[in-house]
Amino acid sequence: MNEQARRTIASYTTYQEAERAVDHLADRGFPVERVAIVGQDVRLVEQVTGRMGLGGAALHGAASGALPGALIGWIFGLLNWLDPVVSGLLLALYGLIFGALVGALLGLLAHAAQRGRRDFASVSFMQPSRYDVVADDAVAEHAVQLLAQLPSGSSGAWKSSRPRSGPTIT
């Protein structure tokens, strides 16, 4: 990673806006390898997707065990020198079935071991509150000038020609 001093040249509320700004710089021939998009004030969001009962735990376990089982069976089938395609497909099918059964059992056991402490399914992701576009000090002023030419439609942006000590609205 580049250890040069960097400063914030723009800040956006969405990643797409920050990406658009960097794309604008690239289109103007700016050395974008001296730029970074930095997510600020990151928080962990866990979106609950539904209840998790014994059936759901078995289904999730079966789904997560089926693919590895099929792949392992297929690889073992390819090692057969006489008829690798037929044996590969047949062992992949057996591996899929065996992997789904083992996965379902392990899913049920894991769910039962939690004793109702986590009866829901969820998806976790990181979510920044804003995205800062930063550039090396040596090229930051030129980047600010180029971003001033960015067509409107990038609401929520602020630009600064000096190191940021607080947002400067322009």
Side-chain angles (χ1 to χ4, degrees):
M1 175 135 175
N2 197 343
E3 294 297 325
Q4 292 186 3
R6 291 186 160 187
R7 75 175 125 148
T8 302
I9 57 173
S11 185
Y12 300 93
T13 55
T14 66
Y15 179 79
Q16 289 76 18
E17 291 173 321
E19 186 178 43
R20 179 174 175 246
V22 174
D23 189 45
H24 177 78
L25 292 173
D27 291 346
R28 303 300 182 277
F30 186 82
V32 291
E33 62 275 1
R34 300 182 77 178
V35 172
I37 298 174
V38 180
Q40 296 291 338
D41 303 326
V42 178
R43 62 185 178 155
L44 175 68
V45 178
E46 184 175 9
Q47 179 62 50
V48 177
T49 58
R51 292 186 53 79
M52 178 67 72
L54 288 176
L59 185 62
H60 283 279
S64 64
L67 183 62
L71 288 175
I72 292 170
W74 179 67
I75 290 171
F76 279 128
L78 289 180
L79 297 176
N80 183 349
W81 293 100
L82 299 176
D83 197 1
V85 174
V86 172
S87 64
L89 292 176
L90 188 61
L91 284 177
L93 177 65
Y94 290 154
L96 183 127
I97 294 167
F98 182 74
L101 289 173
V102 170
L105 278 173
L106 290 176
L108 282 170
L109 288 173
H111 184 72
Q114 292 180 0
R115 295 190 178 123
R117 282 192 312 257
R118 191 168 169 94
D119 285 342
F120 61 91
S122 64
V123 177
S124 298
F125 57 93
M126 303 295 273
Q127 184 179 45
S129 66
R130 73 175 191 277
Y131 297 88
D132 290 343
V133 178
V134 298
D136 294 347
D137 270 338
V139 295
E141 192 60 41
H142 184 229
V144 168
Q145 292 169 359
L146 289 175
L147 286 179
Q149 302 167 3
L150 187 64
S152 64
S154 56
S155 63
W158 60 267
K159 296 171 184 71
S160 173
S161 60
R162 57 183 164 65
R164 191 176 76 131
S165 60
T168 304
I169 308 294
T170 59

